[in-house]
Amino acid sequence: MTEKHATLSIDNGEGSVDNIELPIHEGTLGPDVVNVSGLTAEGYFTFDPGFTSTAACESQITFIDGANGVLLHRGYPIEQLAEHSDYLETCYLLLYGELPTAEQKTEFVRTVHQHTMVHEQIRTFFNGFRRDAHPMAIMCGVVGALSAFYHDSTDISDQNHRTVAAYRLIAKMPTIAAMSYKFSIGQPFMYPDNSLDYSANFLHMMFGNPCEPSNISPVIARAMDKIFLLHADHEQNASTSTVRLAGSSQANPFACIAAGIAALWGPSHGGANEAVVKMLEEIGDVSNIDEYIARAKDKDDPFRLMGFGHRVYKNFDPRAKVMKQAADEVLAELGINDPMLDIAKRLEEIALEDAYFVDKKLYPNVDFYSGIILKALGIPTTMFTVIFAVGRTVGWIAHWNEMISGSYRIGRPRQLYTGYSERDFVTIDKR
Ligand code: ACO
């Protein structure tokens, strides 16, 4: 029951004012939401490019307070999940709303492991790609094609189909991701080893080969699991909103996740981790940092400091804090000394003190540190965004399932039209 209302007063151009009552909805946390859905009937649309003030849906999965650097999954702070949980347990939490009991967790992990293999014919798909294709390009194609192989889980009105599709996507993403990498370097694909945990299995498929037993470092496997966990969900970001929008037309889940992967790819979103490393390579030396900081501040220069700034966080991204700590631990444990890390550290110090970045509240984001840690783990740069996609798949699926399980309408934004008014067609001889 709505109790609060807002009143919108609009000058109707006829010397009086139209007052339109708009209901206000209160969430558990976060700002109240003014319901503008009735405005169309009054002859108005709202205008909000980039959706900076628009709540496009109701959700119970993740809450972010960007001003205070808070991120909660189903109410649990990300810092606590990163310390006490693991990736698959967090997947269960996101999908089902509660932490699993020991039996539920065992069953969940067992079921995910059962789905790690892909249909053998999917292997032939890869031969159609160029060897130098970006792995994200391959991911978009192969994940979209999954609907051609798994018809028995594409009836979105059947909860059972939706659950099986969720398991398949979470389980097969690391397999497809590793296959994309193996293809690019001309090595044989590795079948999953279901005796390994989720992250160790991914590393086995990435770095193992059929001639030798895989020797997966537990330090690296733990770090990889944390990276997946920290990327698991982030409420209504560009890729998740894309998945919801695609899903709102009742498209199948595999097609929707492929749409999410495409949206994630850009450097303003998940592509930033790869862009961070490219930027650090371009800077090349600590002595060049000042020049790049000056370029980032120059309005006439399109250059931006990759890995800095966030649409929602105007404070430290809490995931970045955990990621930074994990990066420090991994670098110390593996004894890695990379001059690029010195550039990253110095850049971070300068940006955190520089008035431009301080005033605009541009803090290092999760991609700044994930780029660094993934490089330290020996992950090739082109795989960074793919790894983000693997971790985020559960978030996409959880949001898609939440939408399909409730009441929803096809997403159809409106526009402020500023083109020509109606005019008569001019035949070609008169133009
Ligand atoms: N370097 C320099 N200046 C920046 C940066 C940056 N990285 N980010 C924002 N700014 C400036 C903008 O020029 C703008 O200045 P102005 O107010 O004088 O015009 C101001 O800060 C606000 O920036 P917007 O672009 O309006 O912020 P928006 O919320 O639209 O964009 C975004 C957020 C895309 C993340 C932006 O900060 C950016 O491009 N960062 C670099 C790319 C990046 O790291 N992306 C990863 C995001 S995290 C993720 O997806 C997991």
Side-chain angles (χ1 to χ4, degrees):
M1 183 72 88
T2 304
E3 283 168 8
K4 285 206 253 176
H5 284 83
T7 305
L8 178 66
S9 301
I10 301 181
D11 182 343
N12 61 19
E14 292 164 10
S16 60
V17 164
D18 291 335
N19 286 321
I20 303 171
E21 283 232 320
L22 302 168
I24 293 183
H25 304 309
E26 255 176 80
T28 330
L29 298 169
D32 290 352
V33 170
V34 182
N35 183 340
V36 294
S37 59
L39 270 184
T40 311
E42 304 286 346
Y44 294 99
F45 297 149
T46 54
F47 186 58
D48 184 21
F51 310 120
T52 53
S53 302
T54 297
C57 63
E58 190 181 322
S59 182
Q60 301 181 348
I61 300 173
T62 290
F63 172 75
I64 300 174
D65 175 348
N68 294 308
V70 173
L71 170 60
L72 311 176
H73 290 322
R74 302 287 191 182
Y76 295 105
I78 189 69
E79 297 87 344
Q80 292 184 24
L81 290 169
E83 190 179 347
H84 303 297
S85 188
D86 57 45
Y87 178 65
L88 282 187
E89 187 175 69
T90 303
C91 287
Y92 185 101
L93 173 70
L94 289 166
L95 290 171
Y96 294 109
E98 295 295 342
L99 288 167
T101 61
E103 295 87 67
Q104 286 168 332
K105 185 173 176 182
T106 305
E107 180 58 17
F108 182 74
V109 171
R110 194 185 61 80
T111 313
V112 170
H113 281 189
Q114 271 176 355
H115 283 287
T116 50
M117 247 184 353
V118 290
H119 190 290
E120 194 63 12
Q121 218 170 313
I122 289 178
R123 298 165 75 88
T124 59
F125 248 78
F126 284 81
N127 293 329
F129 291 104
R130 285 168 52 134
R131 290 271 172 194
D132 61 355
H134 194 287
M136 280 298 276
I138 298 181
M139 293 299 285
C140 291
V142 175
V143 174
L146 290 179
S147 45
F149 290 88
Y150 300 106
H151 265 296
D152 58 342
S153 55
T154 52
D155 178 359
I156 65 161
S157 62
D158 184 330
Q159 172 64 64
N160 220 20
H161 277 228
R162 296 205 297 273
T163 303
V164 174
Y167 280 110
R168 281 182 167 151
L169 277 156
I170 294 166
K172 294 184 200 308
M173 280 292 278
T175 312
I176 297 169
M179 287 170 90
S180 307
Y181 173 59
K182 286 297 198 194
F183 180 76
S184 74
I185 57 167
Q187 284 192 6
F189 298 138
M190 292 294 287
Y191 284 104
D193 177 347
N194 292 347
S195 69
L196 297 172
D197 68 33
Y198 191 84
S199 303
N201 182 38
F202 172 62
L203 293 167
H204 153 75
M205 292 186 288
M206 279 279 293
F207 297 118
N209 69 66
C211 313
E212 298 158 13
S214 295
N215 190 11
I216 308 301
S217 148
V219 176
I220 297 186
R222 263 200 318 276
M224 185 54 70
D225 199 75
K226 200 164 273 188
I227 290 170
F228 285 144
L229 186 153
L230 290 172
H231 285 97
D233 189 42
H234 211 231
E235 55 116 304
Q236 315 307 326
N237 53 77
S239 55
T240 303
S241 300
T242 301
V243 171
R244 278 190 182 257
L245 197 56
S248 76
S249 76
Q250 303 182 359
N252 74 70
F254 303 103
C256 295
I257 299 306
I261 294 172
L264 184 76
W265 193 358
S268 295
H269 192 8
N273 48 18
E274 185 177 341
V276 166
V277 170
K278 283 194 185 142
M279 176 189 73
L280 294 175
E281 280 168 357
E282 193 185 314
I283 294 176
D285 192 88
V286 174
S287 63
N288 298 328
I289 291 180
D290 288 348
E291 177 198 332
Y292 281 85
I293 294 267
R295 283 187 60 194
K297 293 175 358 184
D298 181 355
K299 279 269 150 265
D300 300 323
D301 189 328
F303 176 77
R304 283 187 166 197
L305 273 196
M306 285 295 131
F308 283 80
H310 199 277
R311 166 60 61 79
V312 178
Y313 293 115
K314 303 301 169 197
N315 197 321
F316 243 103
D317 175 343
R319 301 167 303 168
K321 277 192 191 161
V322 180
M323 197 72 91
K324 179 176 160 53
Q325 198 189 339
D328 290 343
E329 280 165 18
V330 166
L331 296 174
E333 239 172 304
L334 300 178
I336 289 171
N337 220 339
D338 183 340
M340 190 183 284
L341 299 170
D342 297 334
I343 303 176
K345 273 197 186 130
R346 188 68 199 121
L347 196 63
E348 178 198 7
E349 281 165 14
I350 295 176
L352 287 174
E353 287 165 3
D354 189 292
Y356 174 92
F357 292 89
V358 173
D359 293 350
K360 292 185 191 303
K361 298 189 168 54
L362 299 171
Y363 290 84
N365 58 46
V366 67
D367 284 332
F368 186 69
Y369 300 108
S370 69
I372 293 170
I373 193 171
L374 286 168
K375 183 164 189 305
L377 295 183
I379 305 285
T381 318
T382 53
M383 286 299 289
F384 288 9
T385 313
V386 173
I387 284 169
F388 191 154
V390 172
R392 182 55 56 83
T393 295
V394 68
W396 291 330
I397 279 283
H399 282 271
W400 171 81
N401 196 36
E402 179 179 65
M403 181 184 74
I404 302 291
S405 314
S407 66
Y408 64 100
R409 301 175 75 188
I410 186 167
R412 177 47 171 102
R414 306 307 295 251
Q415 63 173 1
L416 170 66
Y417 176 70
T418 53
Y420 286 109
S421 307
E422 185 172 332
R423 52 184 178 154
D424 286 328
F425 182 80
V426 181
T427 54
I428 198 156
D429 54 311
K430 302 223 171 68
R431 286 177 218 159

